[in-house]
Amino acid sequence: VVLDEEDGKRVLQQSLADGKLYRWLCSGSRQSMLVESVVQCIPREHPRTRHGGRVRFDRTDIMPKYHQAIVAALSLISRRPQRFLFLGVGAGTLPLFLLQHYPRTSMTGVDCSSGVLSLARRYFGLHSGPRLRLHVRTAWDFLKNQRNARTWCAVVVDACDCGPCGAVHAPPESLCTADALNMLYRLVAKGGVLILNCLMAASHFHLPRLRANFRKTFKHGSSHVILTKEGNIVLVGCVTAESSSQILRQCAWHAALEALDLQIAFA
Protein backbone atom coordinates (compact mmCIF):
# COMPACT_ATOMS: atom_id res chain seq x y z
CA VAL A 1 0.00 0.00 0.00
CA VAL A 2 1.36 3.44 -0.94
CA LEU A 3 0.95 5.74 2.07
CA ASP A 4 2.46 8.91 0.63
CA GLU A 5 4.78 10.31 -2.02
CA GLU A 6 6.96 13.41 -2.18
CA ASP A 7 10.10 14.58 -4.04
CA GLY A 8 10.34 11.32 -5.98
CA LYS A 9 10.17 9.14 -2.83
CA ARG A 10 7.37 6.75 -1.93
CA VAL A 11 6.35 5.42 1.47
CA LEU A 12 4.99 1.89 1.24
CA GLN A 13 3.40 -0.18 3.98
CA GLN A 14 3.50 -3.98 3.84
CA SER A 15 1.43 -6.37 5.95
CA LEU A 16 2.66 -9.98 5.99
CA ALA A 17 0.58 -13.10 6.55
CA ASP A 18 2.20 -13.60 9.97
CA GLY A 19 0.91 -10.19 11.10
CA LYS A 20 4.22 -8.32 10.83
CA LEU A 21 4.05 -4.78 9.49
CA TYR A 22 6.83 -2.98 7.59
CA ARG A 23 7.31 0.49 6.14
CA TRP A 24 9.55 1.13 3.17
CA LEU A 25 11.04 4.29 1.69
CA CYS A 26 11.65 3.79 -2.03
CA SER A 27 12.91 5.93 -4.90
CA GLY A 28 13.06 5.59 -8.68
CA SER A 29 10.28 4.82 -11.12
CA ARG A 30 7.39 2.48 -10.40
CA GLN A 31 8.95 -0.03 -12.80
CA SER A 32 12.33 -0.07 -11.04
CA MET A 33 11.90 1.12 -7.46
CA LEU A 34 14.96 1.17 -5.23
CA VAL A 35 14.67 0.41 -1.54
CA GLU A 36 16.34 3.06 0.65
CA SER A 37 15.03 2.17 4.12
CA VAL A 38 12.93 -0.50 5.82
CA VAL A 39 11.66 -0.62 9.38
CA GLN A 40 9.32 -2.96 11.24
CA CYS A 41 6.29 -1.30 12.79
CA ILE A 42 4.44 -2.45 15.90
CA PRO A 43 0.86 -1.17 16.34
CA ARG A 44 0.25 0.76 19.55
CA GLU A 45 -2.48 -0.25 21.94
CA HIS A 46 -3.04 3.43 22.70
CA PRO A 47 -2.18 5.48 19.58
CA ARG A 48 -0.26 8.72 19.91
CA THR A 49 -0.09 11.64 17.51
CA ARG A 50 3.64 12.49 17.66
CA HIS A 51 6.73 10.65 16.39
CA GLY A 52 5.01 7.55 15.13
CA GLY A 53 1.28 7.99 15.52
CA ARG A 54 -0.48 4.64 15.54
CA VAL A 55 2.70 2.56 15.44
CA ARG A 56 6.04 2.35 17.18
CA PHE A 57 9.22 1.18 15.51
CA ASP A 58 11.44 -1.80 16.19
CA ARG A 59 15.00 -0.39 16.32
CA THR A 60 16.58 -3.66 17.47
CA ASP A 61 17.33 -4.69 13.88
CA ILE A 62 18.46 -2.76 10.81
CA MET A 63 17.54 -3.27 7.17
CA PRO A 64 18.35 -3.38 4.24
CA LYS A 65 21.69 -5.17 3.77
CA TYR A 66 23.68 -2.08 2.89
CA HIS A 67 22.62 -0.51 6.20
CA GLN A 68 23.89 -3.64 7.93
CA ALA A 69 27.18 -3.20 6.08
CA ILE A 70 27.45 0.42 7.26
CA VAL A 71 26.77 -0.58 10.86
CA ALA A 72 29.39 -3.33 10.61
CA ALA A 73 31.93 -0.83 9.23
CA LEU A 74 31.52 1.34 12.33
CA SER A 75 33.20 -1.43 14.33
CA LEU A 76 36.47 -0.37 12.64
CA ILE A 77 36.47 2.90 14.61
CA SER A 78 39.52 2.61 16.87
CA ARG A 79 38.51 5.31 19.36
CA ARG A 80 35.48 5.99 21.51
CA PRO A 81 32.73 7.12 19.10
CA GLN A 82 31.48 10.61 19.89
CA ARG A 83 30.13 12.29 16.74
CA PHE A 84 28.62 10.86 13.55
CA LEU A 85 27.81 12.79 10.38
CA PHE A 86 25.26 11.55 7.83
CA LEU A 87 25.27 13.12 4.37
CA GLY A 88 21.91 11.83 3.23
CA VAL A 89 19.25 11.02 5.83
CA GLY A 90 16.27 9.66 3.90
CA ALA A 91 13.84 7.96 6.28
CA GLY A 92 16.33 8.35 9.14
CA THR A 93 16.19 4.66 10.07
CA LEU A 94 19.99 4.35 10.18
CA PRO A 95 20.74 7.29 12.54
CA LEU A 96 17.74 6.36 14.72
CA PHE A 97 19.05 2.80 15.01
CA LEU A 98 22.53 4.08 15.91
CA LEU A 99 21.17 6.55 18.47
CA GLN A 100 19.78 3.58 20.34
CA HIS A 101 22.92 1.46 20.08
CA TYR A 102 25.50 4.26 20.62
CA PRO A 103 23.94 6.06 23.61
CA ARG A 104 26.92 8.40 24.17
CA THR A 105 27.16 9.58 20.57
CA SER A 106 25.71 12.75 19.01
CA MET A 107 24.77 12.86 15.35
CA THR A 108 24.19 15.37 12.57
CA GLY A 109 22.09 14.60 9.51
CA VAL A 110 22.17 16.57 6.26
CA ASP A 111 19.59 16.07 3.51
CA CYS A 112 18.79 18.24 0.51
CA SER A 113 15.05 17.48 0.56
CA SER A 114 12.74 19.00 3.14
CA GLY A 115 9.95 16.88 1.61
CA VAL A 116 11.79 13.63 2.32
CA LEU A 117 12.53 14.71 5.89
CA SER A 118 8.83 15.49 6.27
CA LEU A 119 7.97 11.95 5.13
CA ALA A 120 10.53 10.61 7.59
CA ARG A 121 8.94 12.52 10.46
CA ARG A 122 5.40 11.46 9.59
CA TYR A 123 5.96 7.80 8.75
CA PHE A 124 9.30 6.66 10.25
CA GLY A 125 9.48 8.41 13.62
CA LEU A 126 12.34 10.75 12.74
CA HIS A 127 12.71 13.74 15.03
CA SER A 128 15.56 16.03 15.93
CA GLY A 129 16.76 16.56 19.47
CA PRO A 130 19.85 17.18 21.59
CA ARG A 131 21.61 14.13 20.10
CA LEU A 132 20.37 14.41 16.51
CA ARG A 133 20.59 17.67 14.56
CA LEU A 134 19.02 17.87 11.10
CA HIS A 135 19.91 20.31 8.31
CA VAL A 136 18.22 20.84 4.93
CA ARG A 137 21.20 21.41 2.62
CA THR A 138 23.01 19.62 -0.15
CA ALA A 139 25.96 17.51 0.96
CA TRP A 140 28.29 19.56 -1.23
CA ASP A 141 27.10 22.86 0.25
CA PHE A 142 27.57 21.47 3.77
CA LEU A 143 31.11 20.30 2.94
CA LYS A 144 32.16 23.65 1.50
CA ASN A 145 31.20 25.40 4.71
CA GLN A 146 33.05 23.10 7.11
CA ARG A 147 36.05 24.81 8.68
CA ASN A 148 37.12 22.34 11.39
CA ALA A 149 39.15 19.31 10.37
CA ARG A 150 39.11 15.90 12.10
CA THR A 151 35.72 16.58 13.70
CA TRP A 152 33.75 13.35 13.16
CA CYS A 153 34.39 9.78 14.28
CA ALA A 154 32.32 8.57 11.33
CA VAL A 155 31.17 10.27 8.14
CA VAL A 156 28.48 8.27 6.30
CA VAL A 157 27.66 9.30 2.73
CA ASP A 158 24.27 7.83 1.83
CA ALA A 159 23.13 10.49 -0.62
CA CYS A 160 21.87 10.16 -4.17
CA ASP A 161 20.58 12.22 -7.07
CA CYS A 162 18.47 11.48 -10.14
CA GLY A 163 19.58 11.76 -13.73
CA PRO A 164 17.47 13.18 -16.59
CA CYS A 165 15.94 9.75 -17.32
CA GLY A 166 15.04 9.09 -13.68
CA ALA A 167 18.08 6.90 -12.99
CA VAL A 168 19.31 7.14 -9.40
CA HIS A 169 23.01 7.86 -8.91
CA ALA A 170 24.58 7.06 -5.54
CA PRO A 171 26.64 8.82 -4.44
CA PRO A 172 26.04 12.05 -6.40
CA GLU A 173 28.74 12.76 -8.97
CA SER A 174 29.72 15.91 -7.06
CA LEU A 175 30.97 13.68 -4.22
CA CYS A 176 32.97 11.29 -6.43
CA THR A 177 35.83 13.61 -7.35
CA ALA A 178 39.25 13.50 -5.74
CA ASP A 179 38.68 16.99 -4.30
CA ALA A 180 35.37 15.96 -2.69
CA LEU A 181 36.88 12.80 -1.20
CA ASN A 182 39.78 14.81 0.23
CA MET A 183 37.29 17.21 1.81
CA LEU A 184 35.45 14.25 3.35
CA TYR A 185 38.73 12.70 4.50
CA ARG A 186 39.72 15.87 6.34
CA LEU A 187 36.49 15.77 8.35
CA VAL A 188 37.20 12.32 9.83
CA ALA A 189 38.99 12.17 13.18
CA LYS A 190 42.07 9.98 13.66
CA GLY A 191 40.86 6.46 14.27
CA GLY A 192 37.57 7.22 12.50
CA VAL A 193 35.97 5.97 9.30
CA LEU A 194 34.54 7.36 6.08
CA ILE A 195 31.74 5.22 4.60
CA LEU A 196 30.20 5.64 1.14
CA ASN A 197 27.14 3.79 -0.13
CA CYS A 198 27.34 3.22 -3.89
CA LEU A 199 24.62 1.85 -6.10
CA MET A 200 26.27 -0.42 -8.67
CA ALA A 201 23.56 -0.39 -11.33
CA ALA A 202 23.24 3.39 -11.49
CA SER A 203 26.88 4.28 -10.82
CA HIS A 204 28.69 1.91 -13.18
CA PHE A 205 29.98 4.76 -15.34
CA HIS A 206 31.90 6.45 -12.52
CA LEU A 207 32.37 3.65 -9.98
CA PRO A 208 35.89 2.60 -11.17
CA ARG A 209 37.04 6.22 -10.97
CA LEU A 210 35.46 6.60 -7.54
CA ARG A 211 37.16 3.47 -6.21
CA ALA A 212 40.52 4.61 -7.59
CA ASN A 213 40.12 8.05 -5.98
CA PHE A 214 39.04 6.39 -2.72
CA ARG A 215 42.20 4.23 -2.62
CA LYS A 216 44.38 7.28 -3.21
CA THR A 217 42.59 9.22 -0.49
CA PHE A 218 43.34 6.49 2.06
CA LYS A 219 46.88 5.69 0.95
CA HIS A 220 48.09 6.38 4.51
CA GLY A 221 45.29 4.40 6.14
CA SER A 222 43.30 1.43 4.88
CA SER A 223 40.31 0.99 2.59
CA HIS A 224 37.79 -1.80 2.11
CA VAL A 225 34.93 -2.71 -0.20
CA ILE A 226 31.75 -4.53 0.91
CA LEU A 227 29.44 -6.06 -1.69
CA THR A 228 25.77 -6.76 -0.99
CA LYS A 229 23.42 -9.03 -2.91
CA GLU A 230 21.01 -6.11 -3.23
CA GLY A 231 23.33 -4.32 -5.67
CA ASN A 232 25.12 -1.88 -3.35
CA ILE A 233 28.84 -1.40 -2.85
CA VAL A 234 29.90 0.10 0.47
CA LEU A 235 33.34 1.75 0.49
CA VAL A 236 35.02 2.03 3.89
CA GLY A 237 38.14 4.07 4.65
CA CYS A 238 39.96 4.12 7.99
CA VAL A 239 41.87 7.26 8.92
CA THR A 240 44.66 5.44 10.69
CA ALA A 241 47.73 3.38 9.91
CA GLU A 242 47.35 -0.37 10.39
CA SER A 243 48.56 -1.69 13.74
CA SER A 244 48.36 -5.09 15.40
CA SER A 245 45.19 -4.09 17.29
CA GLN A 246 43.62 -2.69 14.12
CA ILE A 247 44.42 -5.91 12.23
CA LEU A 248 42.73 -7.94 14.97
CA ARG A 249 39.74 -5.58 14.79
CA GLN A 250 39.55 -6.12 11.03
CA CYS A 251 39.69 -9.92 11.43
CA ALA A 252 36.70 -9.78 13.79
CA TRP A 253 34.97 -7.41 11.36
CA HIS A 254 35.46 -9.83 8.46
CA ALA A 255 33.92 -12.62 10.53
CA ALA A 256 30.90 -10.41 11.31
CA LEU A 257 30.44 -9.60 7.61
CA GLU A 258 30.52 -13.28 6.75
CA ALA A 259 27.81 -13.93 9.35
CA LEU A 260 25.70 -11.18 7.70
CA ASP A 261 26.22 -12.76 4.26
CA LEU A 262 28.18 -9.72 3.06
CA GLN A 263 31.18 -10.08 0.80
CA ILE A 264 34.57 -8.35 1.01
CA ALA A 265 36.21 -7.30 -2.26
CA PHE A 266 39.56 -5.76 -3.02
CA ALA A 267 39.53 -1.99 -2.67
Side-chain angles (χ1 to χ4, degrees):
V1 178
V2 179
L3 297 181
D4 209 340
E5 184 173 351
E6 197 162 343
D7 285 358
K9 312 285 184 178
R10 296 181 185 87
V11 179
L12 309 180
Q13 186 160 288
Q14 178 188 33
S15 299
L16 301 184
D18 60 5
K20 290 183 178 179
L21 185 67
Y22 293 89
R23 282 186 183 169
W24 305 62
L25 181 69
C26 301
S27 59
S29 66
R30 291 184 181 272
Q31 291 73 28
S32 57
M33 283 196 297
L34 300 173
V35 176
E36 295 190 12
S37 301
V38 188
V39 67
Q40 183 176 354
C41 306
I42 302 171
R44 295 182 186 276
E45 294 183 4
H46 304 287
R48 299 188 306 174
T49 58
R50 297 185 60 199
H51 309 324
R54 297 182 178 276
V55 300
R56 59 187 178 89
F57 302 96
D58 183 357
R59 310 287 185 195
T60 60
D61 196 8
I62 186 72
M63 297 174 283
K65 279 290 184 182
Y66 85 89
H67 276 178
Q68 295 178 9
I70 292 172
V71 172
L74 295 175
S75 66
L76 291 175
I77 298 174
S78 59
R79 55 181 291 164
R80 177 181 167 184
Q82 293 180 319
R83 302 181 71 204
F84 291 170
L85 171 64
F86 297 88
L87 298 177
V89 177
T93 55
L94 181 58
L96 290 172
F97 172 86
L98 294 172
L99 279 174
Q100 181 170 308
H101 294 273
Y102 287 83
R104 297 184 178 180
T105 303
S106 62
M107 306 185 187
T108 296
V110 179
D111 202 287
C112 65
S113 173
S114 59
V116 171
L117 291 180
S118 178
L119 290 177
R121 292 185 180 98
R122 296 200 304 271
Y123 298 103
F124 295 90
L126 179 67
H127 55 279
S128 58
R131 294 181 55 222
L132 177 60
R133 304 293 186 184
L134 298 172
H135 302 275
V136 181
R137 303 174 72 176
T138 66
W140 180 246
D141 184 50
F142 183 86
L143 285 178
K144 289 190 299 182
N145 287 279
Q146 294 303 294
R147 298 290 180 261
N148 298 324
R150 306 299 178 205
T151 304
W152 310 90
C153 295
V155 175
V156 179
V157 180
D158 190 14
C160 63
D161 59 15
C162 292
C165 298
V168 179
H169 305 297
E173 287 194 72
S174 61
L175 300 182
C176 294
T177 66
D179 287 344
L181 290 174
N182 285 327
M183 291 172 70
L184 290 165
Y185 177 85
R186 288 194 293 270
L187 292 180
V188 183
K190 293 293 184 181
V193 295
L194 171 63
I195 304 171
L196 272 70
N197 171 48
C198 311
L199 184 64
M200 286 191 289
S203 305
H204 66 277
F205 63 94
H206 65 246
L207 188 56
R209 175 168 54 90
L210 172 60
R211 290 175 67 168
N213 288 338
F214 200 80
R215 284 194 300 269
K216 291 178 183 177
T217 302
F218 287 90
K219 61 185 177 182
H220 298 303
S222 60
S223 58
H224 313 270
V225 179
I226 309 173
L227 307 178
T228 77
K229 293 181 178 179
E230 296 166 345
N232 297 75
I233 290 179
V234 177
L235 303 181
V236 184
C238 301
V239 185
T240 181
E242 288 192 357
S243 62
S244 57
S245 61
Q246 186 71 2
I247 291 172
L248 289 173
R249 187 184 297 271
Q250 290 182 16
C251 289
W253 177 60
H254 287 187
L257 291 178
E258 185 176 353
L260 291 170
D261 196 24
L262 296 167
Q263 180 183 351
I264 291 286
F266 291 107

